[in-house]
């Protein structure tokens, strides 16, 4: 397995993956990496929903419901096409992991810290997927935060999705990475 420095420097978002199944043992290693993320107050505020096969329809139906929610008088054919197009989003990868935050009820634990912990868990998962030779991309956006999506995953009122990890065997060349040197983004305070 690659070392952590190499994993950090070479990981890229992989939006095109093969539809070949991913071994459950690999998915479990990715989930295990997620639960080792740092978290304030040891709250472990993450929840994972692993969707494979027809299980991805939960996500597909939610995407479709959200897309048609604001439409005014679409024809039956338009409605059907929109639903099909939206449902396809859930099938872009053989595995989709929905990641949610289940924040602590302790008033001393700020929500922003719970979200930070879940985002750190996602990064661990992306790095592990890369180290295992898999391709992954973290997708978020307005549909992820919509009440219909929250209901689709039976989240409580205080829980929320932070996004989806689409996972599979890469079907594209990894793009070159470019970053601004850390020196351009760093201020040293030593006096």
């Amino acid at each position: 397995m690659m070392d952590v420095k190499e994993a950090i420097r070479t990981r890229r978002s992989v939006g095109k993956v093969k539809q070949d199944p991913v071994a459950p043992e690999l998915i479990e290693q990715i989930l295990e990496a997620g639960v080792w993320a740092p978290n304030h107050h040891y709250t472990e505020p993450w929840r994972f929903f692993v969707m494979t096969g027809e299980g991805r329809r939960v996500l597909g139906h939610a995407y479709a419901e959200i897309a048609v929610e604001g439409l005014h008088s679409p024809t039956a054919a338009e409605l059907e096409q929109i639903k099909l197009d939206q449902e396809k989003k859930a099938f872009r990868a053989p595995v989709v992991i929905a990641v949610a935050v289940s924040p602590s009820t302790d008033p001393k634990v700020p929500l922003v810290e719970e979200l930070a912990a879940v985002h750190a868990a996602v990064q661990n998962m992306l790095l592990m997927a890369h180290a295992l030779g898999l391709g992954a991309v973290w997708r978020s956006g307005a549909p992820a935060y919509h009440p219909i999506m929250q209901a689709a995953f039976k989240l409580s009122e205080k829980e929320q999705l932070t996004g989806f990890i689409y996972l599979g065997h890469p079907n594209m060349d990894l793009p070159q990475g470019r970053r601004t040197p850390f020196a351009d983004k760093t201020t040293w305070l030593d006096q």
Side-chain angles (χ1 to χ4, degrees):
M1 186 170 313
M2 70 179 65
D3 71 18
V4 70
K5 183 176 179 181
E6 180 184 357
I8 289 169
R9 291 182 64 97
T10 61
R11 189 213 61 83
R12 300 288 175 270
S13 294
V14 178
K16 293 182 183 176
V17 294
K18 300 173 186 172
Q19 287 299 319
D20 302 343
V22 175
E25 303 80 39
L26 297 178
I27 299 168
E28 290 171 359
Q29 287 182 57
I30 292 165
L31 295 166
E32 180 72 14
V35 302
W36 282 100
N39 59 103
H40 297 296
H41 307 283
Y42 305 104
T43 57
E44 300 183 32
W46 36 74
R47 288 187 64 195
F48 309 114
F49 301 85
V50 180
M51 295 168 276
T52 61
E54 290 300 306
R56 296 172 289 175
R57 291 220 181 272
V58 170
L59 178 58
H61 289 314
Y63 274 139
E65 282 185 53
I66 292 166
V68 301
E69 182 183 53
L71 297 178
H72 300 297
S73 306
T75 66
E78 290 170 334
L79 194 58
E80 187 60 30
Q81 189 60 52
I82 290 168
K83 285 183 178 181
L84 286 172
D85 292 344
Q86 292 299 311
E87 287 180 357
K88 283 181 190 175
K89 290 180 180 182
F91 289 84
R92 293 183 282 201
V95 180
V96 184
I97 303 173
V99 182
V101 61
S102 184
S104 171
T105 57
D106 184 339
K108 295 178 186 171
V109 180
L111 176 60
V112 68
E113 291 180 359
E114 299 289 75
L115 287 164
V118 174
H119 296 154
V122 169
Q123 177 68 353
N124 280 6
M125 296 166 75
L126 294 171
L127 287 169
M128 180 58 79
H130 177 58
L132 293 170
L134 296 170
V137 62
W138 179 20
R139 297 198 183 276
S140 56
Y145 317 126
H146 196 284
I148 289 173
M149 196 66 76
Q150 183 166 332
F153 290 95
K154 299 178 176 61
L155 298 178
S156 72
E157 191 174 300
K158 66 178 183 155
E159 296 174 315
Q160 63 188 55
L161 285 171
T162 60
F164 308 99
I165 298 172
Y166 285 76
L167 178 67
H169 299 279
N171 196 19
M172 60 179 274
D173 294 328
L174 297 183
Q176 281 294 103
R178 292 184 310 272
R179 291 293 188 274
T180 302
F182 74 85
D184 293 353
K185 302 278 187 174
T186 306
T187 301
W188 295 80
L189 304 173
D190 56 7
Q191 294 288 329

